[in-house]
Amino acid sequence: MADIYSLPPSPPNFDSVGIFYMTYCATWTSLVLAGMLFLCANRRNPILKIRGLPLSLAAIAFLHVYWILAQITYPIGLTMPIILAYDIQYFFMGIWFPLGIALFHASNSRFLYVAQLQKQFTQSNVRRKKSGCNGADTSWLCRLRNLEYSTRILIYIGLGMVVQVLLTIGMWFACRKYHPTYGVPGTELQGTLEEQIIELGRGWEWWPSALWQVVWTWIVAPVMIWRAWGIRDTMGWRLQTIGCCLSNLHATPMWLMAMYMPAFIPINKYFTPSQWIHLSVMMFEIFTIFVPCWQVLRHRNMRKRAADSNAKWETASQATLRTSSSVVWKSASIVEKGHTIEFLDKELGDRLFTMSALDHVLNDNPGPLQDFSAERDFSGENIAFLTRTATWKSSWPEFPTEDQVRNIFTQALAIYTDFISPRDAEFPINLSSRDLKRLEAIFERPARILCGEARVNQATPFDAGGSPRAHRRGSGEAVASSHDWIELGEVASRIQYAGEISDEFGLAVFDSAQAHIKYLVLTNTWPKFIGEIQQRRRSSETERSDHTGSSYTTLTSRVSSLIHSIF
């Protein structure tokens, strides 16, 4: 009886199906690479910068390599010894693919983490409670608990992968089907040649990989969907996260059915069992690469429209602009209370997309815009920076004493560490390198004297470089040691900087940064905010119109509303 170990390699299978797979693989890979290059070229765009591209693209690269392997299986898979081909499939499924999925879900979890961090910029000012324990210098468990969320996630993934690698290698050595000369007795291949080939692709040694997939797709992913359901961002990030989670639910059940159900044997000849998994990999790539590309293009058009409208209408009468901007914040406040909107004039059009309208809202009632930027646009630091600097400038006395100057400098230093410093701020505002270097020359040395060592930026926790975050001790001392780190914004009212103050410090120290951030808000957050108010007004009018007719809501409309809430 022939056995599988003496089966010679076959020539390449370039029939019509084989040519399709090769063409399909080359075309899709080219599109994915083009999309990744587009994202890298636009990595400074706010939509992409907040996502943390390095981890996302690294996960996609891992998964796509495995996807390529599956596409070339039919045309050239049998050109190598069949045992070697299944060895490659086994180790890719057991090690490479779980690592890619783990990195991918770690990247997805960033959405939830950023949404939680941004709550500190809302009007309710939800401050995060620092979890951890004392004794961090002596206990490894305390040190682990005191690490930032993103670092802990990567450590847990690393530990899980160590276990997975040991299981995968150990089971390969134990299973005699891959090497008949050693292993656990009873695990060798039996039956006809066709039965041996079928048994190569299934068995107990594949179950750790299946369990890993079940954990990620049927435990972690549904939890992420549940947590992300109530978040409504303006960047398509929620759509990306939920879409990726949903598109992977079918993969493991279909893979198991294709391996164990005889009805799939004719299909497996052309569409291997792992292809059911790779369908979800393609969906990952669509949601992770092409959806953000589309969002970047939409963002460009929106910024151009806002800039053009501002240039066109900025010379309009100040009275008209004050009226239109008042309409905006009044409408926003009423929407928040659930009342009917009657204030937004349809004839105003693009006149709302002006710097004067934005200034009026920032001066009179920035609260609704602040909440929108934090909860929907994930850019709450921009509005918070503008309002903090405006308050700081208004606090300057006409003829300050030396003591007052030091108090004012300490408050300015708190603004620097809270919003500007890449080493201290959780969400550093997006400044030009020239402005950043100028402010660093004024504030960086005093910040290190008062705050101690810098921490890793939490908004970009996977970026390389940066000083390691020291553990918070909760000290109220005015000067921190080189191993401590304190949040200056929390203690600025109780301490005073006593060191040397730069000659460049003055009332206009933040003017350039203010102007830059205000223009970013005008062309990024402000148009979305106006669109949100207008959309809510239209929805309110439609609701009232529906109530005057029939109050009956059909099942179709409910399903449509549910789909709209997702996408």
Side-chain angles (χ1 to χ4, degrees), residues 46 48-54 110-111 113-115 117-118 120-121 128 148 150 237 378 381 418 421-422 424-429 455-463:
L48 302 180
K49 188 175 181 180
I50 195 69
R51 276 173 160 87
L53 282 182
R110 180 187 175 90
F111 167 65
Y113 188 56
V114 168
L117 282 179
Q118 281 284 327
Q120 66 185 293
F121 298 118
R128 295 174 299 117
E148 295 296 343
S150 55
W237 203 356
F378 296 161
E381 69 278 3
D418 285 348
S421 172
D424 298 287
E426 290 177 333
F427 293 89
I429 58 176
R455 65 177 173 184
V456 173
N457 172 21
Q458 297 178 36
T460 54
F462 303 106
D463 289 350

Side-chain angles (χ1 to χ4, degrees), residues 183-238:
V184 177
T187 59
E188 53 277 306
L189 291 171
Q190 297 177 355
T192 64
L193 182 61
E194 184 178 352
E195 291 172 343
Q196 292 177 22
I197 294 176
I198 293 175
E199 285 300 317
L200 267 179
R202 63 189 185 187
W204 55 270
E205 72 277 7
W206 295 88
W207 285 101
S209 177
L211 178 62
W212 182 271
Q213 293 176 52
V214 168
V215 168
W216 285 115
T217 59
W218 285 95
I219 298 178
V220 175
V223 170
M224 291 185 65
I225 292 174
W226 177 73
R227 293 181 61 192
W229 195 263
I231 302 173
R232 298 289 191 272
D233 69 290
T234 61
M235 300 178 291
W237 203 356
R238 173 180 178 267

